[in-house]
Amino acid sequence: AQKITQTQPGMFVQEKEAVTLDCTYDTSDPSYGLFWYKQPSSGEMIFLIYQGSYDQQNATEGRYSLNFQKARKSANLVISASQLGDSAMYFCASLRVEYGNKLVFGAGTILRVKS
Amino acid sequence: DAGITQSPRHKVTETGTPVTLRCHQTENHRYMYWYRQDPGHGLRLIHYSYGVKDTDKGEVSDGYSVSRSKTEDFLLTLESATSSQTSVYFCATMDPGRSQPQHFGDGTRLSIL
């Protein structure tokens, strides 16, 4: 079985500052992927960033980077230079490559950016 | 955008009635998924399909059935809706491959009274 833990139900960050959203995972799968999705108040799920379990370098996509520490089983999302539009719910998810490419989601972290 | 359309977008119905939600995709993705989203739980997988007529259960499949007769359509059916199935339902599609994200539809808000 897999489990994703997001320990921060809610976070505040000042505009233009960086923020880290925590994610730990528990898996015995030999190969897996880790995703972050953003869900704004309008409700859609927006893909942000992906990290494969065998990728040597941490993934980056614009202002988003994934701090992947395999030994600690953590995959924290770092958002640099926060913007008001970053206010949303953020979900960490793991991809079970060998089991139908199923996604297992964490409970999410609500991020609020203050001006 | 993977071209995923969910219908209906909103539905209110009564306990005991059958309900069918539809997911339509235009990207020819092989994999399709149904999730439900509830406060405190994130998204949980109900059922998924890895090809036409090939489906399997997710972690919260009780009370739900699915069908996929065409690549582009994946139906989720609640045979006899219960209030515990009030939720937001998301459809997602995916091409096989570890680096491909799942693309999501805009969701269906289902209320069962």
Side-chain angles (χ1 to χ4, degrees), chain B residues 76-88:
Chain B
L76 177 70
T77 297
L78 292 64
E79 299 290 347
S80 177
T82 68
S83 59
S84 65
Q85 294 175 311
T86 292
S87 187
V88 179

Side-chain angles (χ1 to χ4, degrees), chain A residues 18-23 34-37 48-51 57-69 74-81 86 90 92:
Chain A
V19 63
T20 297
L21 306 184
D22 294 340
C23 172
L34 296 156
F35 291 88
W36 279 91
Y37 284 87
L48 295 179
I49 196 167
Y50 167 83
Q51 179 84 42
Q57 291 191 325
N58 287 343
T60 60
E61 291 285 348
R63 294 186 299 111
Y64 304 108
S65 61
L66 202 154
N67 184 2
F68 180 49
Q69 299 187 42
S74 72
N76 298 339
L77 176 70
V78 180
I79 305 175
S80 62
D86 293 334
Y90 289 81
C92 179

Side-chain angles (χ1 to χ4, degrees), chain A residues 37 39 50 100-103, chain B residues 33 35 37 45 90 98 102:
Chain A
Y37 284 87
Q39 186 178 43
Y50 167 83
N101 290 297
K102 293 184 283 188
L103 278 179
Chain B
Y33 306 82
Y35 294 90
Q37 182 178 17
L45 182 65
F90 283 96
R98 291 180 295 147
Q102 288 190 7

